[in-house]
Amino acid sequence: MKKMLIAGNWKMNMTTTESVKLIQNIIEGIKNKKLLTDILICPPFTSIDAVSKVLKDTKILYGAQNCHFESKGAYTGEISIPMLKELGCKFIIIGHSERRTYFFENDELINKKARAVLALGLSPIICIGETLREREENRTFDVLKRQIEIGMSRIEPENCAQIVIAYEPVWAIGTGISAEPEQVQEAHAFIKGELVRVLGKRASSIIVLYGGSVTDENAKSILELTDVHGGLIGGASLKSDIFLSIIETANSILEK
Ligand code: 13P
């Protein structure tokens, strides 16, 4: 059966008070529903503890949006993986395009972080995707290939079950212009092929999420694609009714 993960990346939104309200609304919305899809929330660091307390005794998973690759040390302002692990985080988003663009993260750094996350038994959600310019110059597949080759280097095939990839075309993030289903399917099929080429057969089980202007309106056409195993949702995860509707869509696809 197809597996599905609907993940909300709250980015730098929501104070702790707002986070608690939002998560309470989401819990209320799925109450008494048979959930077939996994749900993950990645709030800002400052809300993780409060959100984790509200999520206790629910099936909703939570994680972080970034981490440092060192476990501790003189890195003012950074957050380590053991700190997040102690809070109960199971997933950490790595290499989001906003971190690549605004904080100059490159594939080598992202690989270091991913390996550190895996070493501590957590799941990295490794984000990849081309810019508009790269797509227009027909370089999409070269970029994805490079991001996968470097991003996955020195990662052991036995870690495949822990890894999540998010395909997020940079031009689709926060723009309201989602990639067309054909573009998404084509990219996901390519990504899955590359993962198997780099990591071997076990990589065929790696979950590949799509992210970039997913809404309640386009969720069905994207989530029902063969090689899409869920969504990494930004703006639409900040409104409980829209996020709940995306969860409902994922659930109904899995019910078929
Ligand atoms: P939007 O859904 O707001 O386009 O953001 C996508 C994203 O960056 C998720 O990580």
Side-chain angles (χ1 to χ4, degrees), residues 7 9 11 93 96-98 127 168 172-176 211-214 232-237:
N9 173 10
K11 306 192 180 183
I93 299 172
H96 192 279
S97 74
E98 286 146 18
C127 301
E168 300 207 308
I173 296 176
T175 57
S213 297
V214 176
L232 184 53
I233 295 146
S237 71

Side-chain angles (χ1 to χ4, degrees), residues 43-61:
F45 290 131
T46 45
S47 297
I48 294 175
D49 189 40
V51 163
S52 75
K53 292 189 171 104
V54 185
L55 288 179
K56 203 168 170 282
D57 303 322
T58 75
K59 285 194 180 146
I60 301 178
L61 302 157

Side-chain angles (χ1 to χ4, degrees), residues 69-233:
F69 57 85
E70 292 287 0
S71 285
K72 59 179 175 179
Y75 298 99
T76 301
E78 289 293 295
I79 301 285
S80 78
I81 303 161
M83 293 170 188
L84 297 168
K85 190 172 173 170
E86 193 183 83
L87 289 178
C89 290
K90 296 276 186 287
F91 293 81
I92 305 180
I93 299 172
I94 302 289
H96 192 279
S97 74
E98 286 146 18
R99 297 215 57 87
R100 292 178 189 256
T101 305
Y102 305 130
F103 304 98
F104 314 110
E105 294 198 6
N106 60 25
D107 293 317
E108 285 76 11
L109 176 65
I110 290 157
N111 172 252
K112 245 177 166 173
K113 291 187 179 192
R115 283 190 285 120
V117 171
L118 289 168
L120 287 183
L122 273 61
S123 287
I125 301 180
I126 304 164
C127 301
I128 58 175
E130 79 288 358
T131 61
L132 182 58
R133 187 167 175 185
E134 288 161 343
R135 179 162 281 268
E136 284 174 349
E137 290 173 356
N138 280 327
R139 292 197 286 126
T140 297
F141 297 116
D142 292 340
V143 170
L144 295 176
K145 187 168 184 250
R146 185 202 72 222
Q147 291 174 332
I148 292 169
E149 268 174 6
I150 304 176
M152 294 296 138
S153 76
R154 294 168 63 198
I155 286 180
E156 300 301 325
E158 46 266 37
N159 286 132
C160 284
Q162 270 170 271
I163 299 170
V164 177
I165 300 289
Y167 170 58
E168 300 207 308
V170 180
W171 48 273
I173 296 176
T175 57
I177 306 164
S178 167
E180 291 300 323
E182 305 75 49
Q183 294 172 314
V184 177
Q185 173 54 34
E186 189 188 31
H188 278 233
F190 178 81
I191 290 165
K192 293 194 82 169
E194 280 301 293
L195 288 169
V196 170
R197 187 179 65 77
V198 172
L199 289 169
K201 263 204 303 227
R202 289 201 207 180
S204 57
S205 63
I206 293 179
I207 286 180
V208 186
L209 310 177
Y210 169 78
S213 297
V214 176
T215 63
D216 48 346
E217 280 163 22
N218 61 19
K220 182 170 182 295
S221 64
I222 293 169
L223 296 176
E224 68 188 3
L225 296 168
T226 315
D227 291 317
V228 174
H229 307 107
L232 184 53
I233 295 146

